[in-house]
């Protein structure tokens, strides 16, 4: 197993260290809470000669993603970081990046969207970019943040994929929280991630090509289908790269990781840092003899429905906990799961719980309540209320 | 073939007959030569020249969106530096007037301020032509457009044209110039100078649009010339942002009355004698500032 250095660092530092180990050449970025430490650290790495790259201190997130697109199309590895309003501002360019099949990587400090303005954690920013054609990874810990950055470059740059990727780390809960992290050695990452060579050509006067053409109705749909095929193709690549990562670095990643699910009647499905609390809740409930399990979603795009189908097959109730909401609809994970499972014959009752918006704490007791509500639906044999809000401030609501 | 001989903006593109933009781009690319990467913002130029699976561009081109030709070019330029190719390869960013004066203004200002070695070319036809002749901050006083229509209670566009050249020069960039296609050697000289200048340069190119200005397609060059001869559009260059000491490169010996320019275009067809007098007075005042 590769030598690794133990460090105790913030989540933003972890994603910055992960990015640095991947040797990006151009880093266009714009400061935004809670991701600002990422561009600060990248600037320091460059200033201190630890990273041979150039920052572009752009005047907006829109220009950050635009410059990433220009740099990536010119044939260099490029990355950035953002959050919340910043991700929303660059929304237009996210589609351009994936449409041009540019494997840009972005670390996102997952933060709520205005209004009211709020700097704390939820997943609305990246969830609202769900359809932009980016791979999406969500970290539970700082270690995962660092490792997923390295995996994101490797997966996105795979010739069968060529898609940009986001790595989400929860605002403050991870971005500003100090945790122990094992940092791989540079030469091992170099071995794992070869230098970026765009197989589809680059902006090069020796071989001129036009990027971002005008696609008429005769051609547009085929471009989109090719993008979807790449996303579908990434499923296998993700598994392969996660396997190889484990072999080299000793840490296992899965699209969905299960915990005590084998004999579980009720499974709680989580994403991001809330998973740690949910695991503790499962442990306590198991001590009381409750047959509850936990499934953690690390990959949200591509949505891992084959894996989830397998996990769901034995359960009676599934509680999907969403840290985002589509007003008039449901949380995004629930919607995707419901859509993917519609034709499955044997599936559990599925309930959606929305909580943790705008930095609202999620406690162990909240997961117990989620379990109980799901169990009640199973016992009643029907889901009367598919969407429930958890941990509301009763005083405010009065 | 040398850069001068080789056509880098190929024929067969879909620009309207008499389009000033196509002529300008062809000549600017000749000045730039084949070792150039271009960016272009959404607009007529991208639509007429990049219809998949064809392209009119014999040099590498990237079109990303409307407002960010300057920031995409910034990424290209820094990537070239990292690849060790910056000394050999030039970067030229194209934008229409909408993509430059309005929606792309912030990205342009950022690019100029950061000091990228990029030539930004604004192809100004004084309205949103690609979407159907809507007013822009580049539209001159009195022009009738689809969103500033002349009518019983309206003269058409009510605001003067935004002085984009002076604004860009005020970023203290090494080179700023204005040009138009009737004065081809002036345009090419300035394009060459802009491209050879280290650091950011801004080239404001005035390009008549028969469709939007409603003039005959064979009058494009003549109207471009009249704009200069009447003092409507002044050809100048400024170094290091010194707009107090700018150099007017084409000074008409005797300025023609603005009416000769205005009457060639139906966008001004509704103007009264009094309106024309006001425009003449404005142009006189402006030209006095330029010293002719």
């Amino acid at each position: 197993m590769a030598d690794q250095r133990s460090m105790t660092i913030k989540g933003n530092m972890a994603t910055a260290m992960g990015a640095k180990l991947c040797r990006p050449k151009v880093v266009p970025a714009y400061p935004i809470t809670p991701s600002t430490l990422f561009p600060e650290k990248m600037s320091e790495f460059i200033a201190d000669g630890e990273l041979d790259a150039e920052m572009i201190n752009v005047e907006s997130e829109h220009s950050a993603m635009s410059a990433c697109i220009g740099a990536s199309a010119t044939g260099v590895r490029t990355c950035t970081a953002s959050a919340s309003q910043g991700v929303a501002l660059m929304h237009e360019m996210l589609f351009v990046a994936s449409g041009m099949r540019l494997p840009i990587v972005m670390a996102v400090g997952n933060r709520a969207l205005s209004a009211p303005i709020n700097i704390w954690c939820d997943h609305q920013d990246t969830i609202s970019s769900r359809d932009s054609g980016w791979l999406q990874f969500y970290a539970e810990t700082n270690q995962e943040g660092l490792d997923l950055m390295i995996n994101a470059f490797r997966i996105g740059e795979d010739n069968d994929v060529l898609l940009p990727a986001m790595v989400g780390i929860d605002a403050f809960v991870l971005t500003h929280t100090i945790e122990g992290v094992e940092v791989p050695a540079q030469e091992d990452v170099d071995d794992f991630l070869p230098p970026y060579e765009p197989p589809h050509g680059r902006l090069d006067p020796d071989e001129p090509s036009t990027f971002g053409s005008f696609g008429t109705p005769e051609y547009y749909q085929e471009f989109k289908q090719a993008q979807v095929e790449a996303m579908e193709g990434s499923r296998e690549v993700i598994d392969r790269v996660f396997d190889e990562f484990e072999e080299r670095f000793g840490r296992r990643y899965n699209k969905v990781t299960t915990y005590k699910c084998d004999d579980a009647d009720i499974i709680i499905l989580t994403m991001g840092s809330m998973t740690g609390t949910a695991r503790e809740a499962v442990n306590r409930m198991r001590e009381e003899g409750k047959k509850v399990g936990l499934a953690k979603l690390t990959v949200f795009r591509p949505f891992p429905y084959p894996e989830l189908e397998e996990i769901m097959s034995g359960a009676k109730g599934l509680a999907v906990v969403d840290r985002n909401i589509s007003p008039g609809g449901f949380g995004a994970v629930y919607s995707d799961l419901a859509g993917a499972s519609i034709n499955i014959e044997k599936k559990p009752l599925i309930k959606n719980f929305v909580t943790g918006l705008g930095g609202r704490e999620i406690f162990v007791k909240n997961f117990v309540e989620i379990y109980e509500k799901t169990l009640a639906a199973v016992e009643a044999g029907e889901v009367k209320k598919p969407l429930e809000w958890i941990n509301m401030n009763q005083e405010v609501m009065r | 073939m040398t850069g001068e001989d080789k056509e880098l903006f190929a024929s067969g593109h879909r620009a309207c007959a008499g389009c000033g933009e196509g002529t300008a781009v062809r000549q600017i690319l000749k000045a730039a030569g084949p070792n150039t990467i271009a960016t272009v913002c959404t607009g007529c130029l991208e639509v007429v020249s990049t219809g998949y699976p064809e392209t009119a561009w014999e040099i590498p081109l990237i079109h990303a969106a409307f407002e960010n030709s300057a920031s995409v070019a910034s990424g290209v330029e820094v990537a070239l530096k990292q690849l060790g190719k910056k000394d050999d390869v030039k970067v030229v960013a194209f934008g229409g007037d909408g993509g430059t004066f309005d929606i792309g203004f912030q990205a342009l200002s950022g690019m100029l301020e950061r000091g990228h070695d990029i030539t930004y070319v604004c192809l100004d036809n004084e309205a949103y032509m690609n979407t159907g002749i809507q007013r822009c901050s580049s539209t001159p006083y009195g022009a009738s457009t689809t969103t500033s229509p002349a009518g019983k209670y309206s003269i058409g566009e009510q605001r003067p044209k935004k002085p984009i050249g002076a604004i860009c020069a005020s970023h203290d960039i090494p080179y700023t110039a204005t040009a138009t296609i009737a004065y081809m050697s002036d345009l090419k000289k300035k394009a060459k100078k802009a491209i050879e200048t280290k650091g950011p340069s801004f080239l404001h190119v005035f390009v008549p649009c028969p469709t939007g200005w409603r003039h005959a397609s064979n009058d494009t060059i003549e109207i471009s010339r009249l704009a200069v001869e009447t003092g409507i559009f002044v050809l100048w260059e400024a170094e290091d942002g010194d707009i107090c000491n700018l150099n007017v490169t084409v000074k008409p010996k005797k300025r023609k009355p603005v009416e000769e320019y205005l009457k060639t275009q139906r966008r001004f067809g509704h103007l009264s004698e009094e309106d024309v007098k006001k425009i003449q007075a404005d142009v006189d005042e402006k030209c006095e500032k330029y010293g002719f």
Side-chain angles (χ1 to χ4, degrees), chain A residues 66-361:
Chain A
S66 302
C68 282
I69 289 166
S72 185
T74 309
V76 301
R77 186 172 287 151
T78 176
C79 66
T80 187
S82 194
S84 182
Q85 308 304 118
V87 177
L89 185 60
M90 61 172 70
H91 190 66
E92 179 194 26
M93 301 320 297
L94 297 178
F95 289 75
V96 178
S98 64
M100 288 190 195
R101 308 291 297 277
L102 301 172
I104 298 158
V105 171
M106 173 160 63
V108 179
N110 283 118
R111 170 187 148 185
L113 283 167
S114 294
I117 188 167
N118 174 293
I119 57 169
W120 293 274
C121 174
D122 67 35
H123 297 155
Q124 199 69 54
D125 48 7
T126 45
I127 288 295
S128 297
S129 345
R130 176 187 66 174
D131 302 333
S132 64
W134 285 54
L135 301 156
Q136 286 199 1
F137 302 92
Y138 290 82
E140 181 192 339
T141 62
N142 292 352
Q143 181 72 62
E144 290 192 4
L146 187 150
D147 291 344
L148 287 172
M149 287 297 285
I150 299 168
N151 280 285
F153 278 108
R154 173 70 192 277
I155 294 162
E157 291 176 9
D158 190 287
N159 283 359
D160 292 333
V161 181
L162 292 170
L163 289 172
M166 291 177 199
V167 174
I169 59 171
D170 284 353
F172 295 100
V173 183
L174 296 181
T175 59
H176 288 60
T177 301
I178 292 171
E179 286 185 340
V181 166
E182 297 292 311
V183 182
Q186 183 66 62
E187 55 271 27
D188 294 324
V189 177
D190 289 346
D191 226 27
F192 180 73
L193 180 72
Y196 176 51
E197 283 296 333
H200 48 41
R202 60 175 88 186
L203 294 169
D204 180 357
D206 292 337
E207 283 177 75
S209 55
T210 292
F211 278 62
S213 326
F214 188 61
T216 50
E218 298 96 298
Y219 299 104
Y220 183 87
Q221 198 157 292
E222 284 67 28
F223 273 97
K224 291 297 123 179
Q225 195 217 18
Q227 242 176 286
V228 170
E229 270 174 20
M231 189 61 94
E232 287 303 320
S234 76
R235 294 176 189 281
E236 206 190 313
V237 175
I238 292 170
D239 288 338
R240 183 158 38 82
V241 171
F242 281 171
D243 284 347
E244 199 186 317
F245 188 88
E246 183 186 21
E247 240 167 72
R248 281 172 184 270
F249 301 102
R251 289 183 291 278
R252 177 70 211 169
Y253 289 90
N254 305 290
K255 294 183 193 118
V256 191
T257 305
T258 53
Y259 181 69
K260 300 190 175 173
C261 281
D262 286 349
D263 64 336
D265 289 335
I266 309 288
I267 294 173
I268 300 172
L269 180 60
T270 59
M271 199 160 79
S273 65
M274 67 163 111
T275 308
T277 313
R279 196 178 292 112
E280 176 60 22
V282 166
N283 285 341
R284 291 191 200 175
M285 288 189 277
R286 278 279 172 178
E287 275 171 26
E288 294 165 8
K290 290 167 183 159
K291 288 170 82 176
V292 57
L294 171 69
K296 169 178 81 172
L297 211 55
T298 298
V299 180
F300 177 65
R301 278 291 178 272
F303 192 72
Y305 58 84
E307 289 81 359
L308 285 165
E309 188 183 326
E310 167 85 27
I311 290 160
M312 287 192 300
S313 62
K316 293 174 182 161
L318 181 68
V320 181
V321 189
D322 268 298
R323 210 162 187 168
N324 69 88
I325 182 67
S326 172
F330 300 93
V333 180
Y334 174 85
S335 296
D336 277 5
L337 189 71
S341 60
I342 191 110
N343 291 324
I344 300 172
E345 221 167 282
K346 194 177 172 310
K347 57 175 176 277
L349 294 179
I350 308 176
K351 266 182 79 71
N352 191 195
F353 298 92
V354 170
T355 190
L357 300 193
R360 177 61 48 87
E361 291 277 1

Side-chain angles (χ1 to χ4, degrees), chain A residues 24-26 52-60 62-64 66-76 89 92-93 96 100 102 202-216 219 223, chain B residues 34-38 46-47 50-68 71-83 85 89 106-108 110-111 113-114 116:
Chain A
K25 285 293 179 191
V26 180
D52 176 17
E54 190 169 333
M55 291 292 296
I56 309 181
N57 289 309
V58 285
E59 79 300 325
S60 73
H62 194 282
S63 281
S66 302
C68 282
I69 289 166
S72 185
T74 309
V76 301
L89 185 60
E92 179 194 26
M93 301 320 297
V96 178
M100 288 190 195
L102 301 172
R202 60 175 88 186
L203 294 169
D204 180 357
D206 292 337
E207 283 177 75
S209 55
T210 292
F211 278 62
S213 326
F214 188 61
T216 50
Y219 299 104
F223 273 97
Chain B
N35 277 336
T36 303
I37 295 175
E46 153 267 326
V47 171
T50 74
Y52 184 85
E54 296 170 340
T55 182
W57 297 79
E58 300 282 350
I59 58 165
L61 172 81
I62 180 166
H63 157 256
F66 199 171
E67 66 280 60
N68 58 357
S71 32
V72 174
S74 303
V76 172
E77 187 247 10
V78 175
L80 285 173
K81 261 199 251 173
Q82 284 292 320
L83 292 168
K85 292 182 183 171
V89 182
Q106 173 180 318
L108 171 61
M111 181 216 103
E113 171 276 318
R114 290 190 299 270
H116 295 281

Side-chain angles (χ1 to χ4, degrees), chain B residues 141-201:
Chain B
Y141 175 81
S144 182
T145 73
T146 55
T147 53
S148 65
K152 199 170 165 189
Y153 300 106
S154 172
I155 189 175
E157 174 54 35
Q158 315 215 357
R159 299 287 306 153
K161 189 180 178 76
K162 182 168 164 180
I164 193 73
I167 294 169
C168 289
S170 296
H171 287 70
D172 286 347
I173 55 173
Y175 187 68
T176 312
T178 66
T180 190
I181 49 177
Y183 297 85
M184 201 55 88
S185 61
D186 181 72
L187 166 66
K188 285 173 77 175
K189 214 169 98 188
K190 285 169 174 170
K192 243 191 162 57
K193 196 164 167 184
I195 289 157
E196 279 164 9
T197 298
K198 281 272 165 220
S201 50

Side-chain angles (χ1 to χ4, degrees), chain A residues 40-60:
Chain A
E40 285 176 358
K41 282 294 159 193
M42 296 306 275
S43 305
E44 272 177 41
F45 295 147
I46 294 167
D48 295 340
E50 287 179 45
L51 176 64
D52 176 17
E54 190 169 333
M55 291 292 296
I56 309 181
N57 289 309
V58 285
E59 79 300 325
S60 73

